Amino acid sequence: MFLKLITLLLLAITSQLAASGPTQQLSKRASLTQVTNFGENASGTLMYIYVPNNLATNPAIVVAIHYCTGTASAYYTNTPYATLAEQYGFIVIYPQSPYSGTCWDVSSAAALTHDGGADSESIANMVTYTISTYGADASRVFVTGSSSGAMMTNVLAATYPEMFAAGVAYSGVPAGCFYTGTVDGWNSTCSQGQVVESQAYWTSVVENMYPGYQGARPRMRIHHGSVDTTLLPQNYNETIKQWTGVFGYSDTPQQTLPNDPASPYTRYIYGENVEGVYGTGIGHTAAIFGDADMEWFGIA
């Protein structure tokens, strides 16, 4: 618990999230609104939503998930997704963790199971509510998050692959790596990069979160920093193994693109459905590249 508290403090110190590109010059015209009646919510997760004034017909949905110590409001304020929503007309869902310290439950068996009744199911129900209420396009639902939110991004991609078309994880760990068997647990072995497994192992972890599922899987882009001391860089390697294994790719990149999307980051292409973005000298708070996210999602 002491280590978890120290880590939370580190996350709080590094929680100023950077956005790149011209989106910073746009403006938010609507407001962040809480929704309390979105459906089954066993974990008590809170739902906030941003519906732009410039709402498209059959809009896309982006689920944007905050870090430990964060809130829906903080992620709304410090990330570019709401201003991008005004530009492109999509809806943003900002879930908020119900736990002290506001990390996400990515450690319990329920959270790591399709329709298991934990945070992951609550967030999926937020998506279902939004599709129904606003006539959103169920084929264009995307998920992204930072730190603990990146962990949940990977978990949602594994537990609800039929729901999400693509995901972008900023400084997280592989789906299932944080398992403790407890709700909102902290797994120091995983955070310190000491869980090193094969592609086949990580692929089986994803498949076991939704047994029998044979459909499409979300395209995944994984961001991490080379000097991350909160969730050590080995977690980048393991997450790449996980998603390349799911898609049957080699975990050796097909292409390496320096200074992409910006220096000191390098983009690695493993196949059509998996990419990595690795920041040399970057710590736990990797910059959020909103415009690049829009391209990855197919919104731009």
Side-chain angles (χ1 to χ4, degrees), residues 37 45 87 243:
N37 60 342
T45 302
Q87 181 176 357
W243 294 112

Side-chain angles (χ1 to χ4, degrees), residues 146-172:
S146 300
S147 189
S148 185
M151 299 185 202
M152 180 56 80
T153 295
N154 285 318
V155 166
L156 286 168
T159 53
Y160 292 91
E162 80 287 7
M163 179 169 284
F164 297 100
V168 179
Y170 286 93
S171 306

Side-chain angles (χ1 to χ4, degrees), residues 3-250:
L3 179 59
K4 180 176 180 178
L5 292 174
I6 292 297
T7 304
L8 291 175
L9 289 173
L10 288 170
L11 293 175
I13 292 170
T14 60
S15 64
Q16 291 301 311
L17 304 172
S20 71
T23 57
Q24 297 178 79
Q25 300 175 14
L26 301 175
S27 61
K28 301 170 185 174
R29 299 184 181 92
S31 59
L32 189 66
T33 303
Q34 185 173 7
V35 177
T36 58
N37 60 342
F38 59 84
E40 188 69 27
N41 184 22
S43 69
T45 302
L46 304 179
M47 177 184 180
Y48 292 83
I49 193 169
Y50 183 85
V51 181
N53 286 352
N54 182 36
L55 183 64
T57 303
N58 304 125
I61 298 171
V62 173
V63 181
I65 310 177
H66 67 72
Y67 42 86
C68 287
T69 76
T71 61
S73 178
Y75 213 58
Y76 160 76
T77 300
N78 294 318
T79 61
Y81 301 113
T83 51
L84 287 163
E86 289 293 348
Q87 181 176 357
Y88 294 108
F90 61 84
I91 296 169
V92 191
I93 298 171
Y94 296 94
Q96 182 168 305
S97 166
Y99 306 110
S100 174
T102 66
C103 293
W104 292 97
D105 177 13
V106 291
S107 56
S108 71
L112 302 177
T113 303
H114 180 80
D115 289 345
D119 298 359
S120 50
E121 182 178 0
S122 294
I123 294 172
N125 289 339
M126 295 176 192
V127 171
T128 301
Y129 165 88
T130 304
I131 292 170
S132 175
T133 302
Y134 295 95
D137 186 346
S139 70
R140 294 195 301 144
V141 179
F142 311 100
V143 60
T144 186
S146 300
S147 189
S148 185
M151 299 185 202
M152 180 56 80
T153 295
N154 285 318
V155 166
L156 286 168
T159 53
Y160 292 91
E162 80 287 7
M163 179 169 284
F164 297 100
V168 179
Y170 286 93
S171 306
V173 306
C177 185
F178 239 63
Y179 176 76
T180 62
T182 60
V183 174
D184 187 31
W186 188 263
N187 189 319
S188 298
T189 303
C190 178
S191 68
Q192 293 302 299
Q194 296 170 8
V195 181
V196 180
E197 301 288 355
S198 66
Q199 268 191 327
Y201 171 83
W202 288 120
T203 300
S204 69
V205 168
V206 169
E207 291 173 346
N208 289 337
M209 290 187 189
Y210 192 172
Y213 179 75
Q214 298 295 322
R217 301 276 179 178
R219 303 168 66 240
M220 297 300 294
R221 180 179 278 170
I222 310 303
H223 294 242
H224 219 97
S226 70
V227 293
D228 190 333
T229 57
T230 302
L231 300 174
L232 268 65
Q234 184 63 35
N235 283 299
Y236 168 84
N237 298 329
E238 301 305 301
T239 310
I240 292 296
K241 287 182 197 176
Q242 183 166 72
W243 294 112
T244 55
V246 165
F247 284 102
Y249 301 152
S250 168

